[in-house]
């Protein structure tokens, strides 16, 4: 039997223009589950989330072996920052 590999990737955004929703709770819950089950996880931050201390501070507590990267999607805060 061949090895099967699964990559767990969580996309993190700080702005959801389609409807009001708490975006912090899901990330906290996802991190708790990953830690509980000892599942290495990749966390990809959108530009707006990268600018929020909440997310960068939270990801500093991620287990060793987790990866943090950038999710490049053009969002309103990025567009405004670029002028």
């Amino acid at each position: 039997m061949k090895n099967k590999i699964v990559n767990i990737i969580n996309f993190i955004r700080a702005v959801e223009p389609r409807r009001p929703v708490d975006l912090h709770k899901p990330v906290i819950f996802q991190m708790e589950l990953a830690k509980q089950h000892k599942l290495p996880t990749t966390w990809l931050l959108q530009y707006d989330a990268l600018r929020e201390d909440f997310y960068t501070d939270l990801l500093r507590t991620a287990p060793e072996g987790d990866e943090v990267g950038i999710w490049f999607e053009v969002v309103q805060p990025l567009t405004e920052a670029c002028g």
Side-chain angles (χ1 to χ4, degrees), residues 23-25 27-28 49 51-59:
L23 296 172
H24 293 165
K25 285 182 185 179
V27 177
I28 293 168
R51 294 181 43 186
E52 279 200 22
D53 290 341
F54 172 83
Y55 294 111
T56 55
D57 291 345
L58 179 67
L59 290 173

Side-chain angles (χ1 to χ4, degrees), residues 64-80:
E64 188 173 329
D66 279 16
E67 299 175 316
V68 177
I70 295 172
W71 168 28
F72 189 72
E73 179 180 66
V74 178
V75 292
Q76 184 174 350
L78 177 58
T79 304
E80 290 170 356

Side-chain angles (χ1 to χ4, degrees), residues 37-49:
H37 296 287
K38 297 180 174 65
L39 297 170
T41 304
T42 298
W43 305 93
L44 297 179
L45 290 100
Q46 193 166 273
Y47 171 80
D48 49 317

Side-chain angles (χ1 to χ4, degrees), residues 6-35:
V6 175
N7 294 323
I8 300 170
I9 300 173
N10 285 304
F11 298 91
I12 302 174
R13 66 176 64 214
V15 174
E16 176 51 74
R18 295 170 283 200
R19 66 184 187 281
V21 63
D22 181 346
L23 296 172
H24 293 165
K25 285 182 185 179
V27 177
I28 293 168
F29 185 62
Q30 291 162 348
M31 185 171 284
E32 288 173 356
L33 284 175
K35 285 180 179 180

